Amino acid sequence: MIKLTGLIKRYPGRTVTANAVDGLDLEIPEGKLVSLLGPSGCGKTTTLRMIAGLERNDGGTIEIDGTVVSDPARRIFQGADRRPIGIVFQSYAIWPHMTVEQNVMFPLRVGKGKVAREVARQRARTALDMVGLADFATRPAPDLSGGQQQRVALARALVRQPKVLLLDEPLSNLDKGLRDRMRDEIRAVQQRLGITTVFVTHDQDEALAVSDDVIVMNHGRIVERGMPQEIYTFPREEFTARFLGVSNSVDGVVASVEEGGSVTVTTGSGPLTCVNAPQLREGEAVSVFMRPESLRLSRKDGPWKGTVEFSIYHGDCWDYHVRVGDDLLRVRVYREKVGIAHGQSVFLSPDPESAIVVPKSGADAGATGDAAGVDDAAAAPTAAKSATVSGSR
Ligand code: ATP
């Protein structure tokens, strides 16, 4: 188990209100894979490096497997070599003058926990077997492909049988196909070994695919935490919805709250009923997010009338970009092209079951404003006034 309490990191030159990591509380249960997901500069890597002991936290405590490994208030600090961790970086950090096996043996042949060469070799072989590289043991490490080198790095992180595996954007240097395979492999190994893992990424698909829990971060803080399907289907925060690429949003005001958690929202496009909208009040300003596939398009009828501005073909579907009032909404159609030309009038029916309605707070992109130097545009690349058309979903 990993437990972070009130974790703080300041870098020189920063003010007190702009901590790189700003009072983070986080528990990661034994055997789970949790990803830290967020835009560049949100503090993911700094958090990971503090867990690893590669950075010192300025405040708060870090506990790994029941032992406090860092608590500046009590002058406790164990360095990386004394923590039960294995770490994989974005760059494979493979020793080029060694064979694959020598690379993996290396952590066992240095420092206090040094073991006999033959024992190290056996354990390196076991670790290489875990990542499917047993047949490559005697190859010079540089003769491997990028994906294979990253698997060597994974084997090297696992060879000391750590309690915790820390992965810092381990897939970023790999090309798309390889990235998916390596991602699956990491998850398979992690689940087979039941090893508590922290996975840092800025890629939402990656985080959703491999995690037991996703932690969304911004400005050094946790925005929200949830299981992948929760975070994807019903993000509770506007920042999360935008960061996860929910591309359509309209602004509105809660007109009425019904029993059982549904609400009716007045929007510029027309009224909209949202089924899953707990804890909202009448008169509250909200944003309603809709995935392109949750809007039904019809030539004949529907509550919202609009005009097709353009359409994009994706192979298995079409995206129609429909102007409804001030909003430009993307509607995904998985049929043969329905033959609607640009400029034509259409009707849209939003699905009340899948509309995501969140309070419109000024804090949607993080209560700390831009103090941490993060460009909010990175999180919401094409956020327009009240409607966005962006993202991959
Ligand atoms: P990325 O995905 O780009 O790696 P991140 O979410 O991992 O981003 P961090 O690398 O943890 O973010 O950085 C958090 C903040 O701390 C950023 O504003 C960054 O500029 C700052 N920072 C990180 N390392 C240092 C450093 N050594 N000195 C000063 N500031 C730093």
Side-chain angles (χ1 to χ4, degrees):
M1 206 253 267
I2 302 173
K3 189 171 174 188
L4 311 179
T5 312
L7 201 64
I8 289 178
K9 179 68 190 175
R10 285 177 212 111
Y11 285 113
R14 291 176 162 267
T15 65
V16 175
T17 52
N19 297 328
V21 174
D22 195 20
L24 207 81
D25 292 319
L26 179 61
E27 282 192 29
I28 304 173
E30 182 99 36
K32 298 293 182 199
L33 188 156
V34 163
S35 42
L36 305 182
L37 172 69
S40 182
C42 73
K44 315 177 287 287
T45 297
T46 303
T47 302
L48 189 96
R49 290 175 63 82
M50 287 192 285
I51 299 171
L54 298 171
E55 282 306 336
R56 282 175 185 258
N57 46 312
D58 295 301
T61 61
I62 302 172
E63 198 177 308
I64 300 178
D65 201 32
T67 303
V68 175
V69 292
S70 180
D71 179 359
R74 289 192 287 155
R75 296 181 185 280
I76 296 172
F77 183 79
Q78 286 186 5
D81 55 330
R82 293 181 54 214
R83 298 189 189 185
I85 54 142
I87 185 161
V88 177
F89 299 99
Q90 180 176 342
S91 62
Y92 325 128
I94 291 297
W95 300 105
H97 58 289
M98 293 183 186
T99 65
V100 166
E101 184 180 77
Q102 284 164 345
N103 263 283
V104 179
M105 286 167 65
F106 187 76
L108 298 174
R109 296 288 296 152
V110 293
K112 277 207 190 110
K114 186 171 169 176
V115 302
R117 182 179 299 277
E118 217 25 59
V119 176
R121 193 185 309 281
Q122 278 311 321
R123 282 175 52 184
R125 292 278 167 133
T126 307
L128 283 169
D129 205 26
M130 276 181 217
V131 300
L133 282 184
D135 295 342
F136 294 76
T138 54
R139 277 234 198 140
D143 290 0
L144 299 187
S145 69
Q148 289 166 334
Q149 290 195 27
Q150 194 55 311
R151 282 195 273 161
V152 174
L154 181 59
R156 192 177 52 190
L158 293 171
V159 77
R160 285 204 302 167
Q161 298 167 336
K163 293 269 194 283
V164 165
L165 181 62
L166 303 173
L167 306 171
D168 188 8
E169 304 250 10
L171 309 176
S172 301
N173 279 350
L174 306 176
D175 59 35
K176 175 80 180 109
L178 206 51
R179 207 185 307 155
D180 290 353
R181 256 183 291 146
M182 187 69 197
R183 177 199 66 196
D184 296 353
E185 202 155 314
I186 286 175
R187 182 56 160 161
V189 169
Q190 183 271 330
Q191 289 196 320
R192 211 179 312 132
L193 299 179
I195 185 167
T196 312
T197 301
V198 185
F199 185 104
V200 162
T201 180
H202 61 269
D203 181 320
Q204 74 250 22
D205 291 332
E206 225 166 82
L208 293 170
V210 298
S211 311
D212 291 297
D213 259 356
V214 177
I215 314 283
V216 180
M217 287 182 66
N218 195 24
H219 296 311
R221 293 183 183 175
I222 294 175
V223 176
E224 75 176 278
R225 170 184 189 154
M227 289 189 295
Q229 61 271 33
E230 284 172 359
I231 288 267
Y232 177 76
T233 318
F234 288 114
R236 292 182 297 271
E237 299 291 333
E238 181 161 356
F239 176 83
T240 311
R242 289 194 191 282
F243 191 72
L244 293 189
V246 187
S247 53
N248 296 317
S249 80
V250 295
D251 290 343
V253 173
V254 177
S256 62
V257 179
E258 285 95 44
E259 297 254 323
S262 62
V263 295
T264 301
V265 177
T266 307
T267 76
S269 310
L272 169 60
T273 301
C274 307
V275 170
N276 292 287
Q279 288 158 9
L280 291 171
R281 286 173 286 105
E282 250 176 57
E284 193 167 2
V286 292
S287 295
V288 182
F289 289 86
M290 290 155 290
R291 296 186 188 280
E293 57 275 22
S294 72
L295 283 161
R296 198 171 63 81
L297 181 137
S298 160
R299 253 183 280 223
K300 295 195 211 92
D301 51 29
W304 293 356
K305 188 167 184 215
T307 309
V308 172
E309 288 207 350
F310 61 98
S311 60
I312 302 280
Y313 181 52
H314 291 289
D316 60 343
C317 60
W318 289 88
D319 279 350
Y320 286 94
H321 294 251
V322 180
R323 172 74 55 194
V324 182
D326 285 345
D327 300 328
L328 187 62
L329 302 177
R330 184 154 62 103
V331 184
R332 183 154 287 186
V333 178
Y334 284 95
R335 299 173 253 135
E336 286 299 298
K337 191 174 189 192
V338 280
I340 297 172
H342 72 95
Q344 210 168 320
S345 288
V346 289
F347 295 89
L348 302 183
S349 309
D351 174 17
E353 301 273 344
S354 42
I356 301 160
V357 52
V358 295
K360 179 135 199 79
S361 62
D364 59 298
T368 50
D370 65 355
V374 179
D375 180 4
D376 287 331
T382 56
K385 186 171 64 64
S386 60
T388 63
V389 177
S390 68
S392 58
R393 289 178 185 286

